[in-house]
Amino acid sequence: MKVIKARSPFSAIINVASQIETKVELFLYNKPDTIPATPNYTFSSKIVSVANPIGVYNLSNEIQEFLTATMPVTNGTINQQESRLMWCNVQVKTYYKLTTSFVLSQTLNYVAVDAYRNYQDGLQNTNTVTADVPYFLCAETSIEQNLPITINKYPFVDLLIDKDLLSGNISVTSNLGVDNYNLTTGTGIEMYRIPILKAGSTINSDFNFTIVNSPNTILQKTVNLICENKYTPMLLSFIGKNGGWEHIYCFKAKQETIDIKSLDFKSNQNYFTFDANIGQRQTYNTNGMKSISINTGFVEESTNTLVEQLFLSETITLDGLPVMLKNKTSVLKQNIKEKNINYTFDFDYNFNLINDFI
């Protein structure tokens, strides 16, 4: 499978000698649906000039609109498929015109996730996204993970697999032993949730978590168990750079606030039924929102990578509830300057307290 990171521009490039016009057909569909009979989008354009005949079409906006980040399922169950709305199949057909009619140039197939490239990663187009890969890790590979000893929400990593290209098993190793995940049954592409700690596991010490497709190591991270006696840890989850869920447990103090808005009007009583207990003002359309400030507790400097991705994320949940990050800036802290690194995040819950959805 060839993977498109849909939050960064992805361009279809058409460059055929003597072309006078170009066209692109874009097909988008989710498994188990089949490819549409007609394209979801069609784009065409005449060349700018004979000296500059190349046709370039940015398709990323249309692709990203087709993706939906569903709420993270943190039940710690193995061999679970991720929602098929988290990724989609993409087919791009490019055409050129030399005289009077379009000629098919290429038919290209991809898989798209809600990921992005950094500036240093370079351009993404039909000339650069050419490698067929058997798997794509939708998470960071080596960031340390802090987990509470008493846990009821189990962080996981998302792994996109092309079963037609993958050879061998996906195995997960930790202090609990080795689990061979049966992820190769069937055909085609699927995304799976790989829990960092399985539900019902009993473990009392730090451990290394590794995902392997022998002889390749897909992911390796250190998991630290934290005993938090005073506060109730909260699980912060967000869609990260690689298009899957990332997780940070926040262990320390939290503070919630409420903000109420309403419309106030002067009321007019009936003159002949005047009642001094009623008052002269009336409140309408009262509703409110809650905000919360949370602290991560002490984390490793490598967490800076996740903090950066949190600030760039468009989908964030806190203990399974949708939130919006209020912070717009943050210092990325270093051990050399701060012996103990703690981050404070401020969020608005992304819904009104009184349900007014129509």
Side-chain angles (χ1 to χ4, degrees), residues 29-33 67-68 70 81-88 189-191:
Y29 60 102
N30 294 113
K31 194 175 180 179
D33 297 338
L67 301 170
T68 302
T70 57
Q81 289 183 9
E82 185 61 273
S83 168
R84 287 171 172 172
L85 300 178
M86 292 272 290
W87 59 278
C88 71
I189 298 168
E190 289 289 356
M191 183 183 288

Side-chain angles (χ1 to χ4, degrees), residues 326-342:
K326 296 171 65 175
N327 310 66
K328 299 301 180 185
T329 60
S330 178
V331 174
L332 298 177
K333 301 178 182 181
Q334 298 175 303
N335 288 125
I336 196 171
K337 294 182 178 180
E338 300 189 42
K339 184 176 180 181
N340 295 316
I341 294 176
N342 172 78

Side-chain angles (χ1 to χ4, degrees), residues 159-353:
L159 183 64
L160 190 65
I161 295 174
D162 188 340
K163 299 181 182 183
D164 298 329
L165 295 179
L166 185 72
S167 61
N169 285 331
I170 298 293
S171 62
V172 175
T173 63
S174 68
N175 285 17
L176 296 173
V178 179
D179 288 317
N180 288 312
Y181 280 44
N182 184 23
L183 306 182
T184 56
T185 301
T187 59
I189 298 168
E190 289 289 356
M191 183 183 288
Y192 287 92
R193 292 189 290 268
I194 313 293
I196 294 172
L197 187 64
K198 294 188 299 182
S201 299
T202 301
I203 190 166
N204 299 311
S205 61
D206 301 346
F207 62 93
N208 292 320
F209 175 77
T210 308
I211 302 177
V212 175
N213 176 229
S214 184
N216 301 313
T217 298
I218 301 174
L219 175 146
Q220 185 172 21
K221 65 168 62 187
T222 300
V223 180
N224 306 309
L225 295 186
I226 307 296
C227 181
E228 177 54 60
N229 296 319
K230 188 174 182 179
Y231 302 101
T232 301
M234 304 186 74
L235 183 58
L236 175 62
S237 305
F238 55 93
I239 299 295
K241 175 187 176 182
N242 295 303
W245 288 103
E246 300 281 4
H247 308 273
I248 302 175
Y249 254 109
C250 298
F251 289 87
K252 294 302 180 180
K254 68 177 182 180
Q255 178 175 295
E256 290 185 314
T257 58
I258 184 172
D259 180 29
I260 301 298
K261 294 182 180 180
S262 62
L263 298 175
D264 297 336
F265 297 94
K266 182 177 180 180
S267 61
N268 292 317
Q269 291 194 52
N270 188 307
Y271 181 84
F272 297 101
T273 59
F274 174 79
D275 184 348
N277 294 318
I278 293 180
Q280 287 189 282
R281 300 190 67 81
Q282 180 65 47
T283 299
Y284 295 95
N285 298 332
T286 301
N287 212 329
M289 296 184 69
K290 288 175 71 175
S291 301
I292 187 170
S293 178
I294 58 175
N295 289 274
T296 60
F298 299 143
V299 296
E300 296 295 326
E301 187 176 323
S302 61
T303 307
N304 289 352
T305 299
L306 294 186
V307 172
E308 178 183 319
Q309 293 183 25
L310 170 65
F311 273 71
L312 293 173
S313 180
E314 297 178 336
T315 305
I316 309 172
T317 70
L318 184 63
D319 269 357
L321 296 176
V323 293
M324 298 182 68
L325 183 65
K326 296 171 65 175
N327 310 66
K328 299 301 180 185
T329 60
S330 178
V331 174
L332 298 177
K333 301 178 182 181
Q334 298 175 303
N335 288 125
I336 196 171
K337 294 182 178 180
E338 300 189 42
K339 184 176 180 181
N340 295 316
I341 294 176
N342 172 78
Y343 283 99
T344 300
F345 302 124
D346 299 317
F347 296 100
D348 285 328
Y349 284 101
N350 195 13
F351 50 85
N352 290 332
L353 293 175

Side-chain angles (χ1 to χ4, degrees), residues 132-159:
D132 261 325
V133 295
Y135 55 79
F136 178 80
L137 180 65
C138 303
E140 287 297 325
T141 58
S142 58
I143 307 300
E144 290 198 19
Q145 185 89 47
N146 291 342
L147 299 182
I149 290 180
T150 302
I151 184 171
N152 58 8
K153 295 181 178 66
Y154 298 85
F156 59 89
V157 295
D158 285 315
L159 183 64

Side-chain angles (χ1 to χ4, degrees), residues 53-120:
I54 301 176
V56 180
Y57 299 84
N58 178 24
L59 308 177
S60 58
N61 291 336
E62 290 73 20
I63 296 172
Q64 190 184 8
E65 286 181 359
F66 204 76
L67 301 170
T68 302
T70 57
M71 291 298 101
V73 178
T74 54
N75 58 15
T77 304
I78 68 171
N79 294 334
Q80 275 197 325
Q81 289 183 9
E82 185 61 273
S83 168
R84 287 171 172 172
L85 300 178
M86 292 272 290
W87 59 278
C88 71
N89 293 290
V90 180
Q91 186 177 93
V92 178
K93 289 186 175 183
T94 61
Y95 298 81
Y96 62 92
K97 183 188 288 187
L98 299 179
T99 53
T100 58
S101 59
F102 283 107
V103 178
L104 177 64
S105 176
Q106 288 182 301
T107 300
L108 304 169
N109 295 297
Y110 303 93
V111 175
V113 292
D114 195 23
Y116 61 86
R117 289 189 173 200
N118 291 126
Y119 182 78
Q120 294 83 356

